Amino acid sequence: MDSIRKQLVKELGQKTLWSVLIFAALFVVLYVVEYFCPSLAGRLLQWHNGDVVNWAFIIGIPGSIFGTAYVLTITNPKNYAGFYLGVVMSVLLAIKFYMIGAVDQMILYLFIFVPFQLKSLMGWRRNTLSPAAGVAELRPKYLDVKGFLLEILALITFVALDFVLLTYTGDNHDLFADWHIKLLSGIVVAASFLANLLMIWQKNDAWMWWVIYSIAGIALFSILLDPFLIVLNAAFLIINGGAHIAWIKMTQPGDFGWAKVIFRK
């Protein structure tokens, strides 16, 4: 059992190193762009907000690094250690979004991400370290048709609730003001909720929702003109898409559920 833990910790360290290198390269690129395009100075690397240090941006940096390492690590369905970094990521990003007034995103990370990540941590750890783990091998699966319909219903419900929340916690209480931003933000919240929930039971649907979360995030921060978060969500899209493909390859023919129509299994 100690050898298993050491192997998982080693993998966690390797994924964290990769995450650090990814963001080091990202910062180099952003510095170069700002240097050759002075009009973008301070917009890509937002160290200051006027004369005030932009702590929200600074706190988001380790949050993003730990978040990427977390997702890279849990692409291995046995490595529960990634969820430790996931919890740290969620707390840091909750602080970041609180500081910039993004109430729904703060609630998402602190009250949805953290509990589900802790639940997943306990479940994955038990399955990996249990003496019976070698007998009851973990098997990624898709939900059945009924489960898929419940997913869609949950998505619609969460998007609607988030739409109302953003309307009445913001300065403009017009329901249709900035509707596209509120819609995308709602999809980000709903997709991440479903992804975190389904990750507990090792469902392939979780990665599908992570991909949708990443795409919605890219669209949202493109509208908000936040280049750093655009790149961050693009990185998540690549990671999540790769993880989804990896889990599909591990899925046995009888475990495709509602998705068997797509994959002809």
Side-chain angles (χ1 to χ4, degrees):
M1 189 174 296
D2 287 338
S3 62
I4 294 176
R5 287 197 182 97
K6 289 179 180 179
Q7 182 180 354
L8 297 181
V9 171
K10 179 180 178 181
E11 182 181 32
L12 177 65
Q14 292 171 338
K15 301 300 186 182
T16 302
L17 177 59
W18 273 111
S19 181
V20 170
L21 293 175
I22 288 170
F23 280 91
L26 171 60
F27 279 114
V28 169
V29 171
L30 295 180
Y31 270 119
V32 170
V33 172
E34 285 194 345
Y35 180 80
F36 287 103
C37 299
S39 61
L40 294 176
R43 296 183 63 188
L44 302 181
L45 294 171
Q46 304 166 14
W47 301 111
H48 295 86
N49 187 3
D51 295 328
V52 180
V53 175
N54 189 351
W55 287 108
F57 174 78
I58 294 172
I59 290 173
I61 294 171
S64 300
I65 293 172
F66 289 137
T68 302
Y70 149 64
V71 176
L72 282 171
T73 302
I74 64 172
T75 55
N76 174 1
K78 294 180 181 294
N79 200 339
Y80 62 87
F83 288 103
Y84 290 114
L85 293 185
V87 171
V88 175
M89 172 207 73
S90 296
V91 172
L92 290 175
L93 292 184
I95 295 172
K96 170 188 170 70
F97 286 119
Y98 172 77
M99 295 178 74
I100 65 176
V103 179
D104 61 336
Q105 300 294 322
M106 184 272 290
I107 293 174
L108 167 67
Y109 280 96
L110 198 57
F111 298 107
I112 295 179
F113 270 41
V114 171
F116 280 129
Q117 286 167 337
L118 290 174
K119 176 65 176 178
S120 295
L121 170 61
M122 292 185 289
W124 284 38
R125 186 178 186 277
R126 182 177 58 252
N127 288 338
T128 299
L129 300 180
S130 169
V135 178
E137 190 70 22
L138 297 175
R139 291 172 56 179
K141 299 179 180 180
Y142 280 95
L143 295 176
D144 57 19
V145 174
K146 180 180 179 181
F148 177 72
L149 293 176
L150 288 175
E151 286 181 302
I152 301 303
L153 178 61
L155 175 73
I156 295 171
T157 301
F158 270 93
V159 170
L161 290 174
D162 192 70
F163 201 97
V164 173
L165 174 67
L166 290 179
T167 298
Y168 293 103
T169 57
D171 296 327
N172 189 341
H173 293 177
D174 181 354
L175 192 63
F176 296 102
D178 297 323
W179 64 269
H180 51 313
I181 294 176
K182 290 185 282 191
L183 178 62
L184 287 169
S185 186
I187 294 173
V188 166
V189 171
S192 57
F193 170 81
L194 290 167
N196 276 284
L197 177 65
L198 295 169
M199 190 65 72
I200 296 173
W201 296 288
Q202 307 262 328
K203 298 298 183 182
N204 284 4
D205 301 61
W207 291 111
M208 175 188 72
W209 291 113
W210 278 128
V211 168
I212 293 172
Y213 163 88
S214 303
I215 294 172
I218 292 171
L220 174 62
F221 294 114
S222 294
I223 293 173
L224 298 177
L225 298 177
D226 191 324
F228 181 81
L229 289 180
I230 293 171
V231 175
L232 174 61
N233 279 273
F236 270 100
L237 177 59
I238 295 171
I239 295 166
N240 294 331
H244 194 188
I245 293 171
W247 278 39
I248 289 172
K249 291 179 179 178
M250 290 188 288
T251 303
Q252 298 184 22
D255 294 334
F256 276 85
W258 67 268
K260 64 183 178 182
V261 176
I262 299 174
F263 297 102
R264 303 297 180 184
K265 297 290 184 177

